[in-house]
Amino acid sequence: MFRLVVVVLFLAPLACKASVLVNDQPLVTAVSKSAVWHKLLHFEAGYFHGARSGVNTSDFFLSPDGRKDAKAELIATINTLTKVAHAQCQFPARAIFIIKNFPNFTLPKTQCKSYKAYLDAFQTQSMSLIYASGYLGNPASMYGHVFLKFNGEVEHDLLDNTFSYGAKVPENESPLVYIAKGIFGGYEGKFSNQKYHHQHLTYNESELRDLWEYKLNVGEDDILFLLAHLYELENTKMKYYFFKQNCAFQLAKLLELVIDVPIIAPNKPWVMPYDLIMMLNRHAAEHHLIVDVVYRGSRQEALHAKWNQLSKQEKKSLVEIIGAPSIKVSSILANLTTQSAKKVIDTLYDYYAFIEVKEGKLDKEQAAKKKVLLLARFALPKGKTQWITPTKNPPHMAQDTTLLQVSTVHNEKFGEALELRFRANYYDLLSVNAARIPFSELSTFDLRLLYSQDNSSLEMRELTLLRIINLNASNTDLPFDSEYAWKVAVGYKPQSLSCSHCSNAYVDGFIGKAWSRSENWAAYGALSVSATGSNEFGGYFSAGPEIGGVFNITPQYAVSLAIGYRSYLNDLTQDRKYLAFEQRFLEHRSYDIRTSINYDESFEYAINFSLYY
């Protein structure tokens, strides 16, 4: 049926007049209120005004009032498509929509060479949604990214086409400026069409991020309709907002054109890439939305997967080769069995490929070793090494991102209390994670309210605007595969746990080194620093050592620990000791139970009941 409609756009003669339809007010009114028509116009209800389009390009509208009047735009579309045959070439999705909703209406004959070439370039058989894991090195990428992939008939999917949505950010824009403009709509957003190999190079290779492909159960007719609308959006501009009209929001609205379920998470004023994955999975079973999920690990993950399958002797030989001159490589390999030599060489291929991506190029000695390894591999008997593909949990198996928590608290200084906590997103060190950076935390707008029995009042105890922790723990410890552990946090919190009315603005963090010999734990040591707006306990600036770690003992039980000592830089006679211990019980996407022990001038104990949505 749909392909017939596409043919009609180019070949059908004019069969009726638009005025007949325009005069059919009940039908026009009903169609102008349809959800699909509003989505084609990108209408959204505002907080302070009625529904209007998020598109800022005047050429996108055929009525002077089209940006805020869906009915006026429908009437103008009918009239224009009737009188100007080539308008179908500019608005092919609208033309398809008109034919479908007004069965007696056909369009004048026309040839849309540019649009036909566009469709021919896709040759799409199916469609996928790609999720790129978070990248804490760039504010634009911390929460992950999503884009659409249109799968053609070609054997290698790197030649497939993709559509993504993002902000047009000037080169060398500072992170602080990006965050400010991103939050308040300081950038224009735009759809872009690129080959999948470009996305693969950017995410898998350059930024070392994992990709997850969700193959969708969407028919060819619906895919063609979606492509027609993307063609309409090719030169349009919209406001980009970091927490709302972002890549996840725009792709969700596109998918809702062809998937008859809500893709935007309900009861949230923001949209995150993970929320899009979560909503698709929520409806997947009932509506058969997801055909398959395919994992594509980064260069770094490929290296780690092979490293973890080497024996102790093979690891020792590999490290020895990295540290030895190239002329010694052959003699080191000669001490290994044929199978072990193959495994070491294969792992070193990935290691040097990883360095080349990360550093931009290999130095002369590294390049020489890579050549020697290649010659050594040719000298070995034929046959591939059998590697076990590691099992990775897809992103939809992680905990949901918004947290509601109720805690019973006992504080040595002010006694019993009840704490209410709301965290807008995203995850912490003890979250049930999947497809996220291991041993990391990314929390935004984490609000804690305390009701104390002492004063029988509810007050804001803490507000963390942003907290990022990345232990960067590598279990290989190979050169270049190890980064600094770091933390940065900013917000409003108590100056110590010994008082209930002493919260103040703060910025703190640490930088150090983490160690890991397993995917289940990481320990770190760091230099911790803190700055506060004021402090009645000693001073504004403090610094000192901190040690800690994260230990996933079983899937149902995990622990985090931080112990630190700080001296006040403006008053070296004063110091501060602190402890933060937390343990999580249960493994569930929607809830868990935690207990915590904290010390900062006073001990505080809590039992935490958490709900995620």
Side-chain angles (χ1 to χ4, degrees):
M1 172 62 186
F2 193 93
R3 295 194 174 199
L4 179 61
V5 171
V6 174
V7 173
V8 166
L9 288 179
F10 302 117
L11 304 178
L14 182 63
C16 63
K17 296 182 179 179
S19 58
V20 175
L21 292 171
V22 173
N23 289 333
D24 187 354
Q25 289 299 320
L27 179 58
V28 171
T29 300
V31 173
S32 70
K33 293 179 179 179
S34 72
V36 174
W37 179 244
H38 280 222
K39 288 182 174 67
L40 285 175
L41 299 180
H42 290 259
F43 266 42
E44 290 296 326
Y47 292 108
F48 306 107
H49 56 73
R52 64 176 57 182
S53 177
V55 177
N56 297 322
T57 307
S58 59
D59 290 348
F60 187 73
F61 304 101
L62 297 172
S63 166
D65 299 320
R67 190 165 184 261
K68 57 184 179 181
D69 189 337
K71 183 176 179 180
E73 185 64 16
L74 178 62
I75 293 172
T77 298
I78 293 171
N79 285 326
T80 302
L81 293 178
T82 300
K83 297 175 183 177
V84 183
H86 196 68
Q88 301 165 58
C89 305
Q90 183 181 357
F91 298 106
R94 292 197 200 183
I96 294 167
F97 176 83
I98 295 298
I99 291 174
K100 182 178 180 180
N101 285 274
F102 298 97
N104 296 323
F105 181 47
T106 54
L107 300 175
K109 181 179 178 180
T110 187
Q111 294 291 329
C112 300
K113 294 182 180 180
S114 178
Y115 176 58
K116 186 177 184 302
Y118 163 84
L119 290 180
D120 290 342
F122 276 78
Q123 294 294 316
T124 300
Q125 305 299 311
S126 63
M127 184 173 72
S128 300
L129 178 71
I130 307 290
Y131 174 84
S133 62
Y135 173 59
L136 296 181
N138 184 344
S141 306
M142 289 179 178
Y143 295 91
H145 182 61
V146 286
F147 58 91
L148 293 176
K149 176 171 170 281
F150 294 89
N151 310 313
E153 294 179 330
V154 293
E155 184 176 347
H156 206 304
D157 66 352
L158 290 177
L159 299 178
D160 288 338
N161 289 281
T162 69
F163 265 101
S164 61
Y165 180 84
K168 296 175 63 178
V169 182
E171 290 186 11
N172 302 318
E173 189 84 290
S174 75
L176 291 178
V177 172
Y178 172 80
I179 291 172
K181 286 187 175 181
I183 291 174
F184 297 106
Y187 295 118
E188 288 183 345
K190 193 176 186 299
F191 285 95
S192 59
N193 173 18
Q194 295 170 316
K195 292 292 185 181
Y196 180 54
H197 68 76
H198 174 84
Q199 309 284 15
H200 178 270
L201 179 64
T202 299
Y203 299 113
N204 258 160
E205 302 285 343
S206 300
E207 295 182 353
L208 301 174
R209 297 162 70 178
D210 294 341
L211 295 176
W212 294 86
E213 179 176 357
Y214 284 76
K215 295 185 177 181
L216 303 178
N217 182 22
V218 179
E220 281 191 62
D221 293 349
D222 287 332
I223 292 173
L224 288 171
F225 183 51
L226 198 59
L227 286 172
H229 184 51
L230 283 165
Y231 183 82
E232 296 175 343
L233 295 171
E234 192 169 5
N235 296 312
T236 58
K237 298 174 182 177
M238 308 179 197
K239 283 289 185 183
Y240 178 90
Y241 292 92
F242 192 77
F243 291 112
K244 181 69 173 182
Q245 278 87 348
N246 51 27
C247 63
F249 177 87
Q250 298 296 351
L251 263 63
K253 290 301 179 183
L254 285 175
L255 289 174
E256 286 178 351
L257 277 172
V258 296
I259 296 176
D260 192 24
V261 294
I263 308 297
I264 299 292
N267 306 318
K268 285 187 179 182
W270 55 85
V271 182
M272 293 286 109
Y274 173 81
D275 294 327
L276 176 54
I277 297 295
M278 178 269 293
M279 289 297 291
L280 273 177
N281 181 66
R282 179 178 295 180
H283 300 296
E286 182 181 354
H287 297 275
H288 309 290
L289 295 182
I290 299 173
V291 176
D292 194 13
V293 182
V294 179
Y295 169 69
R296 292 180 172 85
S298 67
R299 282 283 188 188
Q300 191 172 29
E301 284 298 318
L303 168 64
H304 291 174
K306 288 185 173 66
W307 169 266
N308 290 330
Q309 295 177 55
L310 298 180
S311 68
K312 186 177 292 187
Q313 180 58 46
E314 289 163 352
K315 289 179 179 178
K316 182 179 178 181
S317 298
L318 185 146
V319 172
E320 189 178 354
I321 289 173
I322 291 174
S326 57
I327 58 174
K328 297 285 187 181
V329 171
S330 297
S331 61
I332 297 171
L333 290 173
N335 293 324
L336 298 171
T337 65
T338 297
Q339 190 60 29
S340 289
K342 287 182 180 180
K343 291 173 68 176
V344 169
I345 292 172
D346 285 357
T347 306
L348 282 168
Y349 280 167
D350 279 330
Y351 174 67
Y352 286 118
F354 162 67
I355 293 177
E356 194 166 9
V357 167
K358 188 175 181 181
E359 301 298 315
K361 63 178 182 179
L362 299 176
D363 62 30
K364 289 184 179 179
E365 183 62 25
Q366 291 166 343
K369 284 183 188 177
K370 189 176 179 182
K371 185 176 181 180
V372 171
L373 289 167
L374 181 63
L375 294 173
R377 183 64 181 86
F378 283 145
L380 294 172
K382 293 180 180 180
K384 291 184 178 180
T385 304
Q386 297 300 314
W387 297 101
I388 299 172
T389 302
T391 301
K392 294 284 187 178
N393 289 329
H396 66 262
M397 294 183 67
Q399 275 178 324
D400 291 331
T401 57
T402 301
L403 166 69
L404 287 175
Q405 188 179 83
V406 178
S407 303
T408 59
V409 177
H410 173 76
N411 186 287
E412 283 188 330
K413 293 293 185 181
F414 56 81
E416 308 302 320
L418 184 70
E419 185 179 84
L420 304 176
R421 180 184 178 191
F422 170 79
R423 186 186 69 207
N425 49 65
Y426 199 36
Y427 64 96
D428 58 47
L429 290 171
L430 295 184
S431 294
V432 177
N433 281 342
R436 295 172 182 161
I437 299 169
F439 310 119
S440 70
E441 174 174 349
L442 176 56
S443 294
T444 309
F445 198 86
D446 192 346
L447 174 67
R448 297 172 185 257
L449 304 176
L450 187 72
Y451 180 83
S452 172
Q453 290 185 0
D454 277 0
N455 50 30
S456 299
S457 63
L458 186 68
E459 61 185 40
M460 185 173 77
R461 188 186 200 192
E462 183 174 339
L463 174 61
T464 300
L465 297 176
L466 178 68
R467 180 170 56 247
I468 307 172
I469 300 173
N470 190 1
L471 297 187
N472 272 317
S474 167
N475 61 12
T476 71
D477 270 344
L478 297 174
F480 300 98
D481 188 32
S482 181
E483 300 285 351
Y484 288 114
W486 59 274
K487 169 190 173 182
V488 61
V490 58
Y492 173 88
K493 70 177 182 179
Q495 296 172 29
S496 85
L497 297 178
S498 63
C499 57
S500 58
H501 299 85
C502 60
S503 295
N504 213 323
Y506 78 95
V507 176
D508 65 28
F510 65 62
I511 186 165
K513 170 68 176 174
W515 298 268
S516 175
R517 290 297 178 269
S518 164
E519 293 182 349
N520 297 321
W521 66 268
Y524 71 91
L527 173 65
S528 175
V529 296
S530 178
T532 60
S534 64
N535 197 312
E536 61 190 71
F537 296 96
Y540 301 106
F541 304 101
S542 61
E546 178 176 314
I547 60 173
V550 182
F551 308 91
N552 298 308
I553 298 169
T554 71
Q556 291 78 27
Y557 180 63
V559 172
S560 68
L561 173 69
I563 304 173
Y565 169 90
R566 290 182 188 150
S567 295
Y568 288 101
L569 302 184
N570 56 321
D571 186 355
L572 296 178
T573 63
Q574 301 294 322
D575 58 29
R576 194 75 163 274
K577 304 176 185 68
Y578 59 90
L579 162 74
F581 172 82
E582 186 174 17
Q583 50 189 348
R584 168 184 59 80
F585 303 92
L586 306 179
E587 181 190 27
H588 198 278
R589 294 184 62 246
S590 300
Y591 56 83
D592 63 36
I593 298 174
R594 303 187 182 195
T595 64
S596 60
I597 303 173
N598 291 283
Y599 175 80
D600 190 348
E601 303 292 330
S602 175
F603 273 103
E604 184 172 288
Y605 311 91
I607 301 175
N608 315 299
F609 303 90
S610 307
L611 176 68
Y612 302 88
Y613 69 93

